[in-house]
Amino acid sequence: MKETPLSNCERRFLLRAIEEKKRLDGRQTYDYRNIRISFGTDYGCCIVELGKTRVLGQVSCELVSPKLNRATEGILFFNLELSQMAAPAFEPGRQSDLLVKLNRLLERCLRNSKCIDTESLCVVAGEKVWQIRVDLHLLNHDGNIIDAASIAAIVALCHFRRPDVSVQGDEVTLYTPEERDPVPLSIHHMPICVSFAFFQQGTYLLVDPNEREECVMDGLLVIAMNKHREICTIQSSGGIMLLKDQVLRCSKIAGVKVAEITELILKALENDQKVRKEGGKFGFAESIANQRITAFKMEKAPIDTSDVEEKAEEIIAEAEPPSEVVSTPVLWTPGTAQIGEGVENSWGDLEDSEKEDDEGGGDEAIILDSIKMDTGVEVSDIGSQDAPIILSDSEEEEMIILEPDKNPKKIRTQTTSAKQEKAPSKKPVKRRKKKRAAN
Amino acid sequence: MAGLELLSDQGYRVDGRRAGELRKIQARMGVFAQADGSAYIEQGNTKALAVVYGPHEIRGSRARALPDRALVNCQYSSATFSTGERKRRRHGDRKSCEMGLQLRQTFEAAILTQLHPRSQIDIYVQVLQADGGTYAACVNAATLAVLDAGIPMRDFVCACSAGFVDGTALADLSHVEEAAGGPQLALALLPASGQIALLEMDARLHEDHLERVLEAAAQAARDVHTLLDRVVRQHVREASILLGD
């Protein structure tokens, strides 16, 4: 399905909001969305939620023969897939540019930075090495796929356990998980990508853009760092022109963010480790709270309400007291009454110029009436005690037209409450569609 | 490779250059008569050829036409004999695709696409010999080819690679230095304004050193600009002599 283009007013709104340093979800310019990491029952499986963007990561391993020019090193293979459930625009044939970009970025970030010790994956030099395969699937696209994917990849790799292997002379024994505990991979450092979106030719910058912000951005700068403040990858994309000091500033911000995220990851890994050791329940089923169909929840946007009272007081002090409300019902005829007068129809001028002669008996979709009568209860009035009170659930409401009184006032009907009489509607309200109400 | 010193004590690199020195650059414009614009560049042993067709009508689906700008289409291809070992690459493989995307991003920013709405500009780059700094050579060749085709650009786009060894930033890496596994930065710059059109970095580099490496790459790109400028002027002078001006 082709992507729906963003409307101009939405684009303008987003850009103006960004100029005023406001974001749609209430974040500050350098804030990340909430990151939630949950693990599956198998080692090496995890789901990372960055706001609403969800990525599933799964690591698997296999014994293969090594590459010819790297006989003593294991093989790492990364694959990110944009699943069709992530966004309507992702279709098998249409994704290639984005897919290539994301995959190459992930490969460079994780493989070229040597976060995993590939020499330790060698079993028999030149003959058998471990091939570690990381599969990432994007489950929901709400912006900033690359950050979520990099977190998912590194978490899955840290969580993964490979089967133990021992080599005696020429014999290689592969132990099953029952025989010997599987062994974790040796990971030197954890590179994490941080995305910066640029707007208005590089004047404004946001961290962790969501999907709407990505639609209006000029370009993206991705910096991958680890917690030791080593930059693993920098990639600018989208045709923005950067200046050197912008890049340096971004790298400093990235350093701070990566430290926070790394802490979160370590804590999540530790928690999972603890739960497994204590024999508690773990896995995706446990991480979804009970009585919830999906795990999405709306995060409360923090709003600053500290000055609401002062503002409210000011407004109240300066406002005029409300006018007296006269509540004497006016009896028009037995069985109907009217409380309140209603407000002068402010559509008067408009309707005079648009008055039409078409009476059209047929399709009276009298919207006004349907609004008033949607309660489906016909109640007769307070005025007369003798008339029986008819309560019916019928959807078809009759429109009882009473002869208008001496001065028919133009009334604008207000409410849908059941108690309110239908009397106001009997007035020949000046609406085009109501013309037919002239008996 | 054991014992290979990328930077000796006296400050000389493997091929005898100093830390901030570029390799010898030679370039020619207008090498193909058939294409609208073409150029050939040699940066040390890295040889790249760029050909530009355009601006012309959109080929293929009309739906891709942009109503206010030209579409820039870049394709990168590396010859099988370009590396030390003969490597047969599939046409659409990830690395070539990525290079094509990066070239497109670079040139979309630099070419004044608003002047040619609903048309397409094709840039084809072929690497004949890869000895490090392939992205930079491709960008430099493509700049010259676009200028040869007469397509208006904001400024030259000059690119250079840079690395970091032993506390010193090196400019214009050769294959040996790239294969050693240290950090590598590729930078495409518009020299007059100093704006960076593309920035790409691989392998670990501590944040504190980033500024120095960026500065080394930017300075190298500016040096490339002086050379390319000279090449363009020379070419125009020759062409005008031939026209009898």
Side-chain angles (χ1 to χ4, degrees), chain A residues 97 104 107-108 189 225 228-242 244 252, chain B residues 94 98 101-102 104-105 190 195-196 198-208 210 214-215:
Chain A
D97 276 357
R104 281 293 299 153
E107 254 181 46
R108 281 166 45 213
H189 63 101
M225 272 177 109
H228 308 294
R229 288 179 57 229
E230 290 172 331
I231 301 178
C232 304
T233 301
I234 300 185
Q235 170 84 51
S236 80
S237 64
I240 24 150
M241 303 296 216
L242 296 171
K244 196 175 72 155
K252 289 195 175 45
Chain B
R94 270 189 198 169
E98 189 202 14
L101 285 175
Q102 286 177 345
R104 182 171 81 175
Q105 174 199 324
L190 272 62
Q195 288 174 322
I196 300 173
L198 186 122
L199 176 62
E200 200 191 23
M201 206 196 81
D202 281 342
R204 286 188 288 170
L205 175 70
H206 196 275
E207 193 193 332
D208 297 337
L210 178 63
L214 271 178
E215 189 46 50

Side-chain angles (χ1 to χ4, degrees), chain A residues 357-401:
Chain A
D357 281 357
D358 97 276
E359 304 292 87
D363 50 308
E364 264 66 41
I366 315 266
I367 305 161
L368 195 57
D369 295 346
S370 61
I371 292 175
K372 288 174 45 57
M373 301 189 220
D374 63 354
T375 53
V377 175
E378 217 174 323
V379 177
S380 85
D381 176 52
I382 21 177
S384 87
Q385 313 302 45
D386 303 347
I389 300 181
I390 310 163
L391 288 159
S392 79
D393 274 337
S394 106
E395 311 263 7
E396 295 244 349
E397 294 298 338
E398 267 182 30
M399 168 76 168
I400 305 171
I401 302 152

